[in-house]
């Protein structure tokens, strides 16, 4: 049994809808379908979700929202007409949306309608049952997913239906209102449905043929990743590689259900498999490289720091008190470095510095900026000698100065800090030494 989720670009117009219909019909195991809202048809188009948010903002301000509503309506009508679905209409739903915007505008309700309406079209087009996630996905009073209730209720409803469409992105809040996940949240819905029905695989269809070893905006034609573990994916996505919503892996991961990322425009491609564990070799020692610019490093010096109990806690307290999360914490005998995101830190830097002085009484503090971090991730590194050596000699040959090194104890990744301006050169050098020379 397969659960299939289709992203916004896969459902942006009737032509894309037809491709999706063909994919679903070509495999009887594809029983539960999770659609996103219609996305962009061309690069500077607007996603329906963004139109819905705009409509709600106007409604809330008491302004005329009829033009935006018309634009939204035309996006759906274009799909219905293009699919030749005579006799099918969303009149009743649009009346209800208009009424709600006039009486009690709410951003979550508005945004959720993109998936809801697309789900209604999809169910009618395929001849599948429409199941509303409002009755299947529940959030608790803190706004987080209520796992137990959700799995129980979803399972109850799914077992009654052999084939069903369940719109992505939303569920029900503890006080009975529509509530959405954060942007891109249909990925999470797909994962929940897959977990609830104990699917064999969760297929996530998008507009790329899986994950790439490196960012194609920086590296030309990077190789594709065939198989990646959940943990490797976490490391890469936290460093900026994004295809899947970051919360989407948890529901399926708990049950050992693999995710297969596929391309709606190239259904013949096998895509990328995301799995719990695998004996498959990556072919290149490393699985992926990702990175981000604009970090700051706060260097704290204090003689005899190593023997002072509680020093680290006091330093971290200064960051916590200022609501700043830290990324890395390499340390030496009398130094400790805290790496933070520049955009979170810069405004508050002087407050943090004085808090560290007050709490931890260091000898001195230095701040360095314009730092980029690169994560080289690979399950194969653990059992291969010389990986770090290769990385650093590649960087030296490319004239990149390494400012920081941090290897996680899992040996799944090596984090390298370089100057912002060396970022692209460094990524290219690492990619070349591991991938290009192996091809
Ligand atoms: N339509 C929503 C968004 O654009 C959710 C999704 O596509 O997953 O964020």
């Amino acid at each position: 049994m397969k659960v299939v989720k289709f992203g916004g670009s896969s459902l942006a117009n009737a032509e894309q809808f037809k491709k999706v219909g063909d994919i679903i019909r070509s495999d009887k195991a594809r029983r539960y379908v999770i659609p996103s809202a219609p996305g962009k048809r061309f690069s500077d188009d607007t996603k329906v979700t963004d139109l819905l948010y705009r409509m709600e903002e106007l409604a809330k301000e008491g302004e005329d929202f009829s033009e935006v509503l018309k634009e939204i309506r035309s996006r759906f009508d274009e799909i219905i007409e293009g699919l030749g679905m005579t006799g099918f209409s969303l009149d009743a739903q649009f009346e209800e949306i208009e009424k709600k915007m006039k009486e009690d505008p709410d951003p979550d309700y508005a945004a959720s309608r993109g998936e809801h309406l697309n789900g209604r079209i999809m169910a009618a087009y395929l001849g599948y049952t429409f199941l509303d996630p409002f009755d299947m996905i529940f959030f608790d009073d803190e706004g987080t997913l209520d796992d137990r209730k959700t799995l129980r209720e979803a399972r109850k409803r799914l077992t009654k239906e052999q084939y069903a469409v369940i719109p992505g992105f939303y569920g029900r809040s503890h006080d009975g209102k529509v509530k959405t996940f954060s942007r891109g949240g249909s990925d999470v819905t797909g994962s929940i449905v897959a977990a609830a029905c104990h699917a064999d695989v969760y297929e996530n269809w998008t507009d790329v043929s899986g994950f790439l070893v490196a960012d194609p905006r920086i590296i030309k034609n990077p190789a594709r990743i065939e198989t990646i573990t959940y943990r490797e994916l976490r490391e890469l996505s936290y460093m900026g590689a994004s295809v899947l919503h970051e919360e989407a892996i948890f529901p399926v991961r708990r049950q050992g259900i693999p995710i297969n990322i596929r391309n709606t425009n190239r259904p013949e491609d096998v895509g990328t498999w995301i799995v719990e564990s695998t004996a498959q070799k990556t072919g290149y020692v490393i699985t992926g490289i990702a990175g981000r610019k604009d970090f700051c490093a706060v260097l704290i010096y204090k003689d005899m720091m190593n023997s002072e109990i509680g020093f680290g806690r006091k330093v971290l307290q200064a960051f916590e008190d200022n609501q700043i999360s830290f990324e890395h914490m390499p340390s030496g005998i009398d130094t400790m470095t805290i790496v933070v995101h520049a955009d979170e830190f810069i405004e508050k830097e002087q407050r943090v510095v004085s808090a560290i002085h007050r709490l931890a009484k260091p000898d001195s503090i230095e701040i360095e900026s314009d730092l980029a971090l690169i994560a080289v991730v690979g399950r194969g590194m653990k059992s291969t000698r010389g990986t770090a050596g290769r990385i650093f000699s590649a960087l030296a040959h490319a004239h990149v100065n390494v400012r920081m090194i941090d290897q996680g104890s899992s040996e799944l990744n090596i984090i390298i800090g370089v100057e912002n301006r060396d970022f692209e050169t460094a990524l290219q050098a690492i990619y070349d030494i591991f991938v290009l020379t192996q091809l």
Side-chain angles (χ1 to χ4, degrees):
M1 186 207 299
K2 294 176 181 170
V3 169
V4 287
K5 179 260 169 179
F6 291 88
S9 59
S10 302
L11 298 166
N13 58 23
E15 194 193 326
Q16 290 298 87
F17 247 84
K18 284 183 194 159
K19 290 185 195 167
V20 168
D22 290 344
I23 290 167
I24 296 169
R25 290 191 199 99
S26 70
D27 185 350
K28 281 259 157 279
R30 295 189 172 124
R31 287 178 39 194
Y32 300 121
V33 181
I34 286 78
S36 279
K40 294 182 180 190
R41 294 160 294 182
F42 38 88
S43 66
D44 49 7
D45 197 11
T46 310
K47 290 182 174 186
V48 165
T49 309
D50 292 309
L51 292 173
L52 289 159
Y53 279 124
R54 196 185 302 159
M55 171 183 75
E56 193 274 338
E57 273 167 28
L58 291 171
K60 186 154 272 159
E61 302 280 305
E63 287 180 36
D64 178 17
F65 59 86
S66 59
E67 278 306 310
V68 189
L69 184 60
K70 229 196 270 165
E71 196 179 336
I72 296 165
R73 174 113 209 205
S74 75
R75 292 290 308 266
F76 288 103
D77 285 345
E78 180 192 307
I79 295 171
I80 297 167
E81 271 163 40
L83 295 175
M85 295 169 65
T86 42
F88 177 86
S89 123
L90 293 171
D91 285 347
Q93 282 79 18
F94 272 101
E95 248 169 59
E96 194 185 307
I97 292 169
E98 191 172 355
K99 186 161 170 262
K100 177 93 169 112
M101 287 305 110
K102 283 183 178 148
E103 288 170 2
D104 176 24
D106 174 82
D108 281 31
Y109 169 83
S112 74
R113 296 304 92 180
E115 281 48 29
H116 183 93
L117 300 176
N118 233 16
R120 291 206 174 263
I121 299 175
M122 178 69 90
Y125 178 58
L126 295 171
Y128 282 20
T129 305
F130 175 87
L131 290 180
D132 197 331
F134 190 66
D135 304 317
M136 294 166 65
I137 292 178
F138 298 89
F139 296 91
D140 61 21
D141 51 3
E142 284 174 9
T144 42
L145 181 73
D146 183 339
D147 281 318
R148 287 172 111 213
K149 185 169 176 192
T150 296
L151 285 182
R152 192 181 62 229
E153 295 302 317
R155 193 166 296 153
K156 226 191 305 180
R157 285 188 166 67
L158 290 166
T159 46
K160 290 192 197 125
E161 305 296 338
Q162 253 219 309
Y163 293 96
V165 172
I166 305 104
F169 194 36
Y170 71 96
R172 189 193 302 225
S173 69
H174 75 289
D175 53 357
K177 292 190 182 151
V178 169
K179 179 171 166 51
T180 63
F181 290 104
S182 55
R183 296 300 302 264
S186 300
D187 285 340
V188 188
T189 311
S191 183
I192 292 169
V193 171
C197 69
H198 302 295
D200 297 305
V201 40
Y202 168 27
E203 288 181 350
N204 189 294
W205 292 79
T206 172
D207 54 5
V208 289
S209 294
F211 293 109
L212 300 171
V213 172
D215 187 340
R217 286 167 299 187
I218 300 169
I219 309 293
K220 223 167 122 206
N221 285 330
R224 188 180 51 81
I225 301 175
E226 284 166 29
T227 312
I228 184 169
T229 64
Y230 288 125
R231 284 176 51 219
E232 288 175 313
L233 180 63
R234 286 286 297 154
E235 300 285 354
L236 285 174
S237 49
Y238 133 85
M239 263 304 181
S242 70
V243 171
L244 202 65
H245 190 290
E246 62 170 10
E247 285 160 42
I249 62 173
F250 300 112
V252 279
R253 179 181 182 168
R254 252 174 256 139
Q255 298 197 17
I257 301 169
I259 306 174
N260 186 198
I261 306 287
R262 300 286 291 267
N263 187 347
T264 300
N265 305 315
R266 293 178 58 97
E268 64 284 4
D269 289 355
V270 292
T272 295
W273 284 89
I274 309 169
V275 299
E276 171 75 50
S277 182
T278 175
Q280 284 190 35
K281 296 271 183 328
T282 51
Y284 329 107
V285 182
I286 61 157
T287 304
I289 316 161
R292 275 200 264 171
K293 287 185 180 177
D294 295 325
F295 289 90
C296 291
V298 184
L299 285 80
I300 301 137
Y301 299 87
K302 186 171 190 179
D303 286 342
M304 302 301 288
M305 172 196 291
N306 65 327
S307 55
E308 184 181 328
I309 291 171
F311 185 82
R313 179 180 49 75
K314 290 172 200 157
V315 169
L316 293 180
Q317 174 92 43
F319 288 85
E320 186 179 340
D321 290 352
N322 283 288
Q323 296 285 307
I324 297 169
S325 68
F326 72 94
E327 302 297 315
H328 293 280
M329 194 174 56
S331 61
I333 187 158
D334 287 334
T335 62
M336 186 170 162
T337 306
I338 311 285
V339 180
V340 288
H341 274 287
D343 56 357
E344 261 184 84
F345 175 70
I346 283 186
E347 250 177 41
K348 301 177 183 165
E349 64 169 25
Q350 295 311 320
R351 259 187 281 155
V352 176
V353 169
S354 66
I356 299 173
H357 275 293
R358 180 166 40 80
L359 293 161
K361 313 214 167 12
D363 297 335
S364 65
I365 299 175
E366 262 172 45
I367 299 176
E368 289 183 356
S369 59
D370 296 326
L371 191 68
L373 295 185
I374 297 172
V376 185
V377 176
R379 58 188 181 276
M381 289 187 337
K382 199 153 63 175
S383 50
T384 315
R385 255 181 303 140
T387 313
R390 286 169 77 190
I391 296 174
F392 296 114
S393 71
L395 292 174
H397 277 109
H399 305 287
V400 172
N401 181 28
V402 175
R403 298 263 306 270
M404 189 201 93
I405 305 166
D406 193 2
Q407 175 171 24
S409 48
S410 65
E411 277 195 68
L412 197 63
N413 65 352
I414 297 179
I415 309 271
I416 300 142
V418 300
E419 308 261 343
N420 269 347
R421 63 183 148 87
D422 287 336
F423 179 63
E424 286 83 5
T425 317
L427 270 183
Q428 186 75 56
I430 298 170
Y431 181 83
D432 289 352
I433 194 81
F434 285 102
V435 183
L436 222 56
T437 52
Q438 305 288 308
L439 288 177

